[in-house]
């Protein structure tokens, strides 16, 4: 019939007669994971803090978080802790980090960030630490201009780097590894840091990097491990870990345990390659295979098949033992229903 002689050519990642279904609609990911379509029928689960595995169903205990930078889907891995209290006039931070590889020191990587509105727009107060061109960059804005300290290049032969930084009113200082202490005075008149956002470690919650602070604009999340993060907001108190309760993040995404490999627990079949970013893990399948572990074949009629079938004008592709045939709707003919 004529009414049936139409069809929707769906854009990537949508399916259904009206292209109304997206792979993640029937979200198989567990525990609040971010679902991301890997193909028309497969998803990747970006795991929340404390979870791992293909569907994020495995609990992992994280004592030394490992961050994977910005993954192939454009998300950064991060941890978010409650707002750091009483930071207005004085703060000191200590932390250690280990780079995943030397290259990762040169990619504008964010180590931590906290801001007034959470977005670091011009004029907003913020405090941040990152890596660029193999150097550590410490930056803050009290509302009347940004102060920045840039360290000497990191000694990349060191396995673990140690950072100690602080600020008293307008004066800031940074000490990296065995380098000399460097200081700065922030411009303008304001002396208090007013930040209300959470304390982000290793990356940023938002998908969009343009929400990162406008100043240094760190585009990528950190790649490697960050541990022993501690702070204090007055000289006469002890150091403590961020978070409420202490040491516990509110949320996070894609964070693994340092030195653990999720891929060691997973076997991708049929030549598929295990890909891990933080605690997220998935199989990258060779052409012709699909599914979580690359165990399902892609039929010649499926959209993922390479090369795609050639049936035209709303005809139906029907697989045959070798190849396929096109069932033509009324009013068309030819091998691929290409003739009226």
């Amino acid at each position: 019939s004529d009414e049936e002689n139409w069809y929707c050519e769906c854009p990537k990642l949508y399916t259904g007669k009206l292209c109304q279904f997206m792979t993640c609609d029937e979200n198989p990911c567990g525990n609040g994971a971010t679902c991301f379509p890997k193909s028309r029928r497969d998803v990747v689960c970006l795991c929340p803090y404390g979870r791992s595995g293909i569907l994020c169903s495995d609990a992992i205990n994280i004592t030394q978080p490992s961050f994977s930078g910005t993954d192939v889907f454009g998300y950064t891995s991060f941890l978010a802790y409650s707002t750091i209290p009483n930071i207005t006039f004085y703060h000191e931070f200590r932390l250690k980090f280990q780079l995943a590889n030397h290259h990762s020191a040169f990619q504008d990587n964010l180590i931590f960030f906290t801001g007034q509105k959470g977005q670091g727009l011009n004029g907003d107060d913020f405090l941040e630490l990152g890596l660029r061109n193999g150097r550590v960059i410490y930056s803050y804005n009290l509302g009347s201009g940004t102060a920045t300290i840039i360290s000497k290049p990191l000694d990349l032969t060191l396995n673990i780097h140690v950072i100690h930084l602080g600020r008293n009113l307008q004066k800031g200082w940074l000490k990296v590894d065995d380098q000399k202490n460097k200081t700065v005075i922030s411009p303008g008149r304001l002396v208090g840091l007013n930040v209300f956002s959470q304390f982000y470690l290793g990356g940023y919650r938002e998908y969009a990097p343009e929400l990162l602070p406008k100043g240094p604009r760190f585009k990528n999340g950190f790649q490697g491990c960050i541990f022993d993060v501690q702070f204090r907001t007055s000289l006469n108190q002890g150091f403590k870990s961020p978070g409420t309760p202490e040491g516990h993040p509110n949320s996070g995404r894609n964070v693994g345990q340092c030195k653990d490999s999720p891929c060691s627990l997973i076997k991708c079949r049929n030549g598929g390659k295990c890909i891990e970013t933080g605690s997220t893990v998935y199989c990258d399948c060779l052409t012709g295979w699909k599914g979580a572990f690359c165990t399902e074949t892609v039929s010649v009629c499926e959209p993922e098949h390479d090369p795609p079938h050639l049936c035209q004008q709303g005809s139906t592709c029907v697989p045959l033992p070798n190849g396929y045939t096109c069932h033509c709707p009324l009013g068309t003919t030819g091998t691929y229903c290409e003739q009226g």
Side-chain angles (χ1 to χ4, degrees):
S1 76
D2 253 6
E3 299 87 79
E4 284 308 295
N5 197 6
W6 60 274
Y7 72 108
C8 295
E9 201 169 286
C10 298
K12 227 177 145 115
L13 310 180
Y14 287 87
T15 56
K17 180 91 172 146
L18 305 171
C19 305
Q20 74 274 44
F21 300 124
M22 196 166 177
T23 335
C24 281
D25 277 356
E26 296 98 39
N27 183 353
C29 303
N31 298 300
T34 304
C35 176
F36 198 89
K38 178 169 85 165
S39 72
R40 299 235 182 166
R41 287 181 180 71
D42 281 340
V43 303
V44 172
C45 304
L46 306 178
C47 297
Y49 174 69
R51 293 282 169 176
S52 180
I54 288 231
L55 297 177
C56 304
S57 46
D58 313 335
I60 51 171
N61 182 29
I62 294 172
T63 51
Q64 295 191 344
S66 105
F67 301 90
S68 52
T70 307
D71 65 23
V72 290
F73 308 107
Y75 288 90
T76 62
S77 56
F78 74 89
L79 289 177
Y81 295 87
S82 51
T83 307
I84 304 237
N86 310 321
I87 198 173
T88 315
F89 301 115
Y90 183 91
H91 63 73
E92 252 183 283
F93 285 87
R94 301 196 296 217
L95 61 88
K96 301 187 180 83
F97 69 85
Q98 199 170 6
L99 294 167
N101 50 57
H102 289 169
H103 181 59
S104 62
F106 294 88
Q107 297 180 321
D108 294 357
N109 296 22
L110 185 75
I111 298 175
F112 71 59
F113 169 75
T114 181
Q116 194 164 21
K117 310 230 181 14
Q119 300 182 356
L121 298 169
N122 289 339
D124 287 357
D125 291 22
F126 67 81
L127 161 68
E128 70 183 345
L129 184 68
L131 288 175
R132 171 174 291 154
N133 298 334
R135 300 165 187 260
V136 174
I137 299 187
Y138 163 40
S139 208
Y140 57 90
N141 189 337
L142 308 179
S144 53
T146 301
T148 301
I149 303 179
I150 301 176
S151 78
K152 289 199 165 109
L154 289 171
D155 174 356
L156 295 175
T157 62
L158 292 172
N159 187 23
I160 290 178
H161 300 277
V162 182
I163 295 182
H164 194 175
L165 62 86
R167 178 189 65 89
N168 184 11
L169 302 177
Q170 290 177 290
K171 183 174 181 181
W173 53 271
L174 169 71
K175 178 149 178 51
V176 175
D177 296 332
D178 296 328
Q179 298 180 15
K180 277 213 334 259
N181 197 15
K182 295 183 91 166
T183 60
V184 70
I185 304 241
S186 61
R189 289 200 150 109
L190 298 178
V191 297
L193 176 69
N194 300 298
V195 293
F196 314 117
S197 81
Q198 300 184 89
F199 178 74
Y200 293 98
L201 191 66
Y204 201 55
R205 179 190 61 223
E206 308 303 341
Y207 175 62
E210 47 273 16
L211 289 179
L212 277 172
K214 288 280 186 286
R217 238 331 146 64
F218 293 105
K219 293 193 291 290
N220 297 296
F222 186 79
Q223 285 180 290
C225 305
I226 304 176
F227 42 97
D228 297 351
V229 179
Q230 294 185 306
F231 75 95
R232 66 179 177 182
T233 49
S234 110
L235 258 176
N236 48 21
Q237 65 175 201
F239 278 87
K240 58 182 202 173
S241 306
T244 318
E246 193 184 331
H248 289 263
N250 292 343
S251 65
R253 177 177 55 218
N254 241 9
V255 175
Q257 168 69 350
C258 216
K259 304 189 179 46
D260 269 12
S261 159
C263 277
S264 59
L265 310 170
I266 280 176
K267 290 278 168 284
C268 304
R269 308 288 179 193
N270 303 306
K273 193 159 132 243
C274 183
I275 307 286
E276 55 181 66
T277 71
S279 65
T280 294
V281 59
Y282 65 96
C283 293
D284 196 17
C285 307
L286 288 178
T287 300
W289 298 95
K290 63 173 186 169
F293 301 97
C294 307
T295 49
E296 303 161 50
T297 55
V298 177
S299 136
V300 66
C301 285
E302 285 181 50
E304 291 101 328
H305 192 271
D306 196 11
H309 69 78
L310 301 171
C311 300
Q312 291 181 23
Q313 308 204 52
S315 58
T316 311
C317 173
V318 180
L320 297 173
N322 47 6
Y324 63 93
T325 181
C326 303
H327 278 190
C328 301
L330 221 58
T332 67
T333 179
T335 314
Y336 303 117
C337 313
E338 71 279 14
Q339 296 160 28

